[in-house]
Amino acid sequence: MEIVYVYMRKRSEFGRQCNFSDRPAELHVDILPDPSQALNFIERNPCDVSIQCAHDMSEHEVNTERFEMEVRGVNHVEGGWPKDINPQELEQTSRYRKKVEKDDHYIATITQLGSVMEHCIKQNNAINIYEEYLEEEEELEGVDEAPTAKTIHVFRDPSEVKRTATHLSWHPDGSRKLAVAYSCLEFQRAPKDMSYDSYIWDIENPNKPELTLKPVSPLVSLEYNPKDSHILVGGCYNGQITYWDTRKGGQPVELSVIEHSHRDPVYKVIWLQSKTGTECFSTSTDGQVLWWDIRKKMSEPTEKLILDITKKGNLDLALGGISLEFEPTMPTKFMVGTEQGMVISCNRKAKTPAEKIVCTYSGHHGPIYSVQRNPFFPKNFLTVGDWTARIWSEDSRESSIMWTKYHMSYLTDAAWSPMRPSVFLTTKMDGTLDVWDYLFKQNNPSLSLRVCDEPLYSLRLQENGRFVACGSKNGLTTLLEMSSGLCTIQRNEKNLATTMFERETKREKILEARHREMRLKERSKAEPGKEEETKEDKPEENSEELIAKAERGLLRDD
């Protein structure tokens, strides 16, 4: 049963109803003005009021969280042994193997698997699964492609005081790591709080170096051992040679004795092609080339050569070495680029120290920062100094056979492409990387790329020629990837490059012979007994006229 309560009230008890109506205004209060309050009034004259019509905006900054990578390894060991067998005990494991090999079930299983394995081996011998059928078509496609390069990574010097990336070295196995030497090359201007550390970078992780090398003096040069990728050798600013084993950390394993080391910064260190893989040699502006063996605790060099071109062995007359070149296919020969603009060709196996200096090549107006043989034609080598890069032939000693134009900026380093015989790269003080293809163009670079706004000091190409690392003055190491056309050998390129080098070498030889002949004629005219004849003959020609005459004679011979 539902109970309902009803409450009732009259309308008059709810309150009065509001009725609105229009009526005239009524004055309830009138407050008159007080003249005394006018004294408290502060007048603003003039009165400036600013009005902004634009919308109010707020600025916010957002930074994504940095992704850091770590490298970890897994070591697989032999397993599958019973619990009662200790894998570390050779006697137990050999006994167990003999026991298993006598088992009838083991013999039957091996016999059955042997037929299956034999079938797979025959199949592999019949078909080459790695054969490239379209290799020629890919080469033709690369010809039409315009040369390009793009930046992949930038490795920054972690030190607060920025230093120059003086030398670069790729890891010999796979080139997944890059060793960078950092130093300040301005004599006696290095900051007091400058770090001595150099670093090994993983090219996939530019945020943090993989290993920090801690030398006793800043490293000017640094090089991986091609036979043992864990070993690195470095040349220090104070003249000492040191080496590291990355398995033992960042502290140097051995250091050369300073009394028997170089007296100036070690600008170049190169590993030698030896059976042990422990020998290297170095050069410095003190005028010496020293050979070292890291097995002998580096107490003193195993061999020494003084770069005295007068062949007297006088260290005071020696030329300062800045660059080195060693070709493994020529184990006894090496070349030194000097700060006087001359290349010295040497033979290590000569009988006497004087015979070790074979010949010299002069043509630059300043220090030669790089000397490198062509990997396809070792008789031709590339040098960089002053404002030009020059290509030389061992058969022509008086002059280079080819050279670039004179640039506005100083050239600092150069390297041949390991994949194409006619391509080389140069770096300049204005931060530009130039790629030259002499079969395509000789007056200007095929590709000129502004890598950074600061001077570039070092350059190194990977083994496949696709990746290029450039080191700058402020410690930036830029990794660039070249287009496939610049690192893929073109059809008939070797033959064309051979023809080009031989033609230019022959031209220089003809000019040298003509100049030699003209100099002999000039000497004969200058002899005392022939003074009257010289008066009747034409006046002396200057060097420019002689060169022009020789070139005209060359054209007639052709």
Side-chain angles (χ1 to χ4, degrees):
M1 179 179 179
E2 186 178 354
I3 301 175
V4 180
Y5 292 95
V6 180
Y7 297 92
M8 300 180 66
R9 183 178 289 183
K10 292 182 178 180
R11 174 68 188 82
S12 60
E13 296 178 0
F14 280 108
R16 185 178 177 183
Q17 184 180 4
C18 294
N19 293 322
F20 297 100
S21 61
D22 294 332
R23 63 179 184 178
E26 296 179 2
L27 181 63
H28 294 282
V29 179
D30 184 13
I31 301 175
L32 298 174
D34 186 1
S36 62
Q37 294 294 331
L39 300 175
N40 298 329
F41 182 76
I42 301 174
E43 184 179 1
R44 294 177 61 189
N45 186 21
C47 183
D48 296 332
V49 178
S50 60
I51 299 174
Q52 178 62 267
C53 298
H55 295 290
D56 293 337
M57 301 179 69
S58 61
E59 182 180 354
H60 298 276
E61 293 182 359
V62 178
N63 189 15
T64 57
E65 186 177 353
R66 177 173 288 182
F67 178 68
E68 295 187 0
M69 300 175 64
E70 291 186 3
V71 180
R72 297 184 180 182
V74 177
N75 189 20
H76 295 275
V77 295
E78 188 180 2
W81 297 97
K83 293 182 179 179
D84 55 339
I85 300 295
N86 185 5
Q88 306 297 328
E89 292 290 336
L90 182 62
E91 185 179 350
Q92 294 184 20
T93 55
S94 61
R95 193 185 304 125
Y96 183 76
R97 279 199 185 95
K98 290 179 181 178
K99 178 184 175 182
V100 171
E101 289 171 359
K102 292 179 180 178
D103 190 4
D104 295 337
H105 179 67
Y106 172 79
I107 297 171
T109 304
I110 293 297
T111 306
Q112 181 184 358
L113 292 175
S115 59
V116 178
M117 194 67 188
E118 185 181 3
H119 172 72
C120 294
I121 292 172
K122 288 180 178 179
Q123 213 173 31
N124 283 345
N125 291 336
I127 302 171
N128 181 12
I129 61 174
Y130 300 106
E131 184 177 357
E132 296 184 9
Y133 296 97
L134 305 175
E135 187 174 2
E136 292 184 0
E137 293 185 11
E138 290 178 359
E139 289 180 2
L140 291 174
E141 289 176 4
V143 175
D144 299 331
E145 182 186 3
T148 57
K150 60 180 180 180
T151 302
I152 303 298
H153 291 303
V154 176
F155 306 95
R156 303 179 187 276
D157 181 9
S159 174
E160 294 182 2
V161 179
K162 301 305 176 186
R163 306 159 294 164
T164 302
T166 53
H167 200 269
L168 310 169
S169 179
W170 286 102
H171 192 278
D173 298 336
S175 299
R176 305 306 300 172
K177 298 176 185 176
L178 182 66
V180 185
Y182 296 91
S183 178
C184 178
L185 296 179
E186 296 181 1
F187 182 65
Q188 293 185 345
R189 293 184 183 178
K192 294 181 179 180
D193 54 347
M194 187 185 77
S195 172
Y196 289 177
D197 297 347
S198 291
Y199 305 99
I200 296 175
W201 298 87
D202 185 341
I203 63 172
E204 298 296 335
N205 182 18
N207 300 323
K208 183 181 179 182
E210 185 179 83
L211 182 65
T212 302
L213 305 178
K214 296 186 174 295
V216 294
S217 177
L219 288 179
V220 181
S221 55
L222 183 64
E223 201 70 47
Y224 267 108
N225 189 331
K227 286 194 173 182
D228 188 351
S229 58
H230 299 288
I231 305 295
L232 295 98
V233 66
C236 298
Y237 190 82
N238 65 352
Q240 289 180 285
I241 303 294
T242 182
Y243 84 93
W244 286 265
D245 187 339
T246 56
R247 293 165 292 193
K248 298 180 180 179
Q251 295 295 334
V253 178
E254 201 70 49
L255 194 68
S256 65
V257 180
I258 198 163
E259 291 85 358
H260 300 290
S261 302
H262 290 284
R263 301 176 185 178
D264 286 351
V266 183
Y267 284 97
K268 189 73 173 179
V269 182
I270 295 182
W271 290 97
L272 289 168
Q273 190 78 11
S274 60
K275 293 180 180 179
T276 60
T278 58
E279 296 180 43
C280 61
F281 71 122
S282 60
T283 190
S284 170
T285 48
D286 64 352
Q288 297 182 99
V289 178
L290 304 179
W291 282 263
W292 308 87
D293 192 338
I294 62 175
R295 296 175 302 171
K296 299 179 180 179
K297 295 189 177 181
M298 302 180 73
S299 57
E300 61 179 357
T302 58
E303 199 174 333
K304 183 187 295 185
L305 174 64
I306 296 175
L307 298 174
D308 180 10
I309 58 175
T310 62
K311 300 184 180 182
K312 295 179 181 178
N314 189 348
L315 190 59
D316 296 332
L317 301 176
L319 305 181
I322 285 189
S323 54
L324 270 179
E325 208 292 324
F326 174 75
E327 174 60 40
T329 58
M330 301 177 176
T332 61
K333 292 184 177 181
F334 66 93
M335 306 182 86
V336 185
T338 64
E339 59 182 348
Q340 287 79 11
M342 188 179 294
V343 178
I344 303 175
S345 178
C346 306
N347 186 357
R348 186 188 178 190
K349 297 301 181 181
K351 294 180 181 179
T352 62
E355 293 177 356
K356 289 184 179 181
I357 297 178
V358 179
C359 61
T360 59
Y361 303 85
S362 58
H364 286 285
H365 307 297
I368 296 177
Y369 293 112
S370 177
V371 182
Q372 188 178 14
R373 290 186 186 271
N374 190 306
F376 296 88
F377 311 107
K379 289 181 69 175
N380 300 104
F381 57 94
L382 173 72
T383 61
V384 156
D386 53 65
W387 302 270
T388 61
R390 295 177 178 268
I391 299 174
W392 304 75
S393 172
E394 286 188 344
D395 299 332
S396 177
R397 298 181 181 179
E398 294 188 12
S399 174
S400 54
I401 60 172
M402 305 175 80
W403 52 88
T404 64
K405 65 178 182 180
Y406 277 80
H407 297 274
M408 298 299 293
S409 299
Y410 222 72
L411 271 66
T412 55
D413 204 355
W416 286 103
S417 169
M419 304 304 293
R420 294 192 55 191
S422 62
V423 173
F424 63 92
L425 292 81
T426 60
T427 54
K428 295 188 294 188
M429 290 288 283
D430 61 357
T432 304
L433 171 70
D434 289 338
V435 182
W436 296 81
D437 185 351
Y438 256 36
L439 283 181
F440 174 67
K441 192 191 298 184
Q442 296 184 6
N443 297 329
N444 293 297
S446 301
L447 174 64
S448 187
L449 187 67
R450 186 69 176 267
V451 177
C452 57
D453 296 330
E454 56 202 52
L456 293 176
Y457 271 89
S458 51
L459 170 70
R460 204 64 181 266
L461 274 82
Q462 213 177 23
E463 286 184 358
N464 58 11
R466 180 170 288 275
F467 294 102
V468 183
C470 303
S472 71
K473 183 179 181 181
N474 290 340
L476 288 180
T477 304
T478 307
L479 182 64
L480 300 123
E481 183 179 6
M482 315 296 287
S483 59
S484 59
L486 292 173
C487 53
T488 305
I489 190 166
Q490 309 300 326
R491 180 186 291 180
N492 208 27
E493 183 175 352
K494 280 188 181 179
N495 295 332
L496 292 173
T498 303
T499 305
M500 178 180 66
F501 288 141
E502 288 180 352
R503 183 187 68 238
E504 296 299 324
T505 304
K506 183 180 179 182
R507 181 181 66 85
E508 284 300 322
K509 282 183 177 179
I510 293 172
L511 287 174
E512 286 176 13
R514 190 62 58 89
H515 290 170
R516 207 174 297 118
E517 183 182 344
M518 289 182 175
R519 284 197 295 268
L520 288 173
K521 287 183 179 179
E522 292 297 323
R523 285 178 190 171
S524 62
K525 290 179 182 180
E527 288 180 3
K530 297 184 180 180
E531 288 182 358
E532 296 179 359
E533 296 179 9
T534 54
K535 292 178 182 178
E536 296 175 358
D537 291 341
K538 296 179 182 179
E540 267 191 354
E541 297 174 332
N542 56 29
S543 59
E544 294 181 359
E545 292 175 350
L546 292 175
I547 293 171
K549 186 182 289 185
E551 290 179 347
R552 286 198 297 272
L554 176 63
L555 291 173
R556 285 198 298 271
D557 293 341
D558 293 341

